[in-house]
Amino acid sequence: MNELWSEMANRTEPYQPGEQATGLDCIKLNTNENPYPPSPRVFEALQQALSSDLRKYPEADPQELRQTLADFHEVTAEQIFIGNGSDEVLAFAFMAFFSTSKPILFPKITYSFYPTYAALFNIPYTCVPLCKNFTLDVEALSKSEGGVIFPNPNAPTGIVSPLQSVERIVKENQGRVVIIDEAYIDFGGQSAISLLSSFENVLITRTMSKSRSLAGLRIGYAIGSVSMIDALNRIKNSFNSYTIDQLALTAGIASVKDEEYFKDTVQAIIRTREQSKKVFKSIGFTVLPSAANFLFVHHPEIPARQLHKILRNKQILVRHFQKPETEEWLRVTIGTDKEMELFFQQLFVAVDAWTNKSTAY
Ligand code: PMP
């Protein structure tokens, strides 16, 4: 207890982001970034933005980006809220829709920012265990007191829930907000956007960090009813009027307008994911059926912690979550074909050495 800190700072257990390894020449498969660069149109737009008047504040209410996203998703601009990465959008959503008196629900194995936000904002929560096959327990998530949040596809499993299951959770939680974090939906599965016309209690969050290769610019957004977006704006405008800088705004618009590049790069990642899945299986790994840009894998003999370390020593970064329920698994982001080839070369050596009880490790 630090007596100069607020009660909030004292009780906070910060989220641990994956290693960024700045300056290290490595194959980086640990934070679900896109291995391809952003659309060439983003670079052109950024050149122009750099010669614009950076002296001035950006738009507090980024109308053009809202409209561009609204056209892309076939909703209205009033149904779009933009934030500094979807992490910020999620933080605002926790403040706008969840209360300190009614517990919310989220899966036990899920994005670890949810318990962090709940603790920060004093929101009580219950973690719902996944089913045996790692899918969401739809029944249990349908009975919340204070609302629900889950990613679809889930992270770090990569498993996508069918729209029917998502709809059931939304329908049975009438009067409470259900946040569907669609950070990875472009890589597989059906979006819940179609539910917006029938249900008032849905909020969908999205990011440009993964499928649009813009993690470095921090752009996230939410799609919901006009009233939900209004609530998010009330929170944002009581916190920071200008959460999105001018360069991010310009790049975001250019990215959304280049649909062809977006589709091509997403397809390339899906192809590499399916190929990688086969290779993992061929060397004895269990691989969950991922609809995201990563695979969650387990080797029956090699402890995941050890494998993480072995690969780290070969300058290959993958993610290991040191929690009892995920301790035996590794999350591997899908890189380019070349990166995956180099990754598997090292993995083959590691598995071979371990299963032959080599003393190399
Ligand atoms: N949701 C999930 C499930 C994620 O994995 C991530 C990435 N760490 C985010 C949200 C946040 O993404 P960003 O803040 O980069 O938009």
Side-chain angles (χ1 to χ4, degrees), residues 15 17-18 31-32 83-90 110-114 117 150-156 181-184 205-210 214-216 218-221 293-294 319 331:
Y15 170 77
T31 52
N32 297 345
N84 193 280
S86 58
D87 281 339
E88 185 188 74
V89 177
L90 289 168
T110 198
Y111 185 35
S112 33
F113 232 128
Y114 306 157
Y117 284 143
F150 62 93
N152 198 33
N154 195 8
D181 177 349
E182 293 190 340
Y184 300 102
T205 60
R206 291 282 188 108
T207 178
M208 294 204 193
S209 301
K210 319 290 177 183
L214 290 173
R218 316 297 302 123
I219 311 167
Y221 56 101
N293 67 338
F294 54 83
R319 193 82 188 259
R331 190 195 68 189

Side-chain angles (χ1 to χ4, degrees), residues 184-198:
Y184 300 102
I185 197 78
D186 293 323
F187 301 105
Q190 235 180 318
S191 170
I193 293 178
S194 61
L195 301 182
L196 291 172
S197 51
S198 319

Side-chain angles (χ1 to χ4, degrees), residues 136-157:
L136 294 190
D137 185 339
V138 175
E139 172 88 30
L141 290 169
S142 295
K143 297 177 201 121
S144 84
E145 273 184 70
V148 183
I149 179 164
F150 62 93
N152 198 33
N154 195 8
T157 63

Side-chain angles (χ1 to χ4, degrees), residues 207-278:
T207 178
M208 294 204 193
S209 301
K210 319 290 177 183
S211 55
R212 294 191 177 276
S213 314
L214 290 173
L217 283 180
R218 316 297 302 123
I219 311 167
Y221 56 101
I223 315 171
S225 68
V226 175
S227 145
M228 303 268 259
I229 300 305
D230 195 28
L232 288 171
N233 274 315
R234 292 169 76 104
I235 300 288
K236 184 206 91 162
N237 290 325
S238 311
F239 174 79
N240 176 2
S241 309
Y242 312 103
T243 52
I244 317 294
D245 68 63
Q246 190 56 50
L247 300 184
L249 282 178
T250 311
I253 294 165
S255 168
V256 181
K257 287 191 169 162
D258 194 351
E259 210 166 327
E260 198 182 332
Y261 182 87
F262 166 70
K263 283 189 180 152
D264 286 352
T265 44
V266 164
Q267 279 312 315
I269 292 169
I270 294 173
R271 269 196 308 274
T272 311
R273 178 187 74 206
E274 294 310 306
Q275 182 56 30
S276 303
K277 193 165 143 184
K278 286 187 198 147

Side-chain angles (χ1 to χ4, degrees), residues 104-123:
I104 60 163
L105 300 180
F106 48 78
K108 188 160 174 67
I109 298 180
T110 198
Y111 185 35
S112 33
F113 232 128
Y114 306 157
T116 302
Y117 284 143
L120 181 67
F121 303 132
N122 255 335
I123 295 160

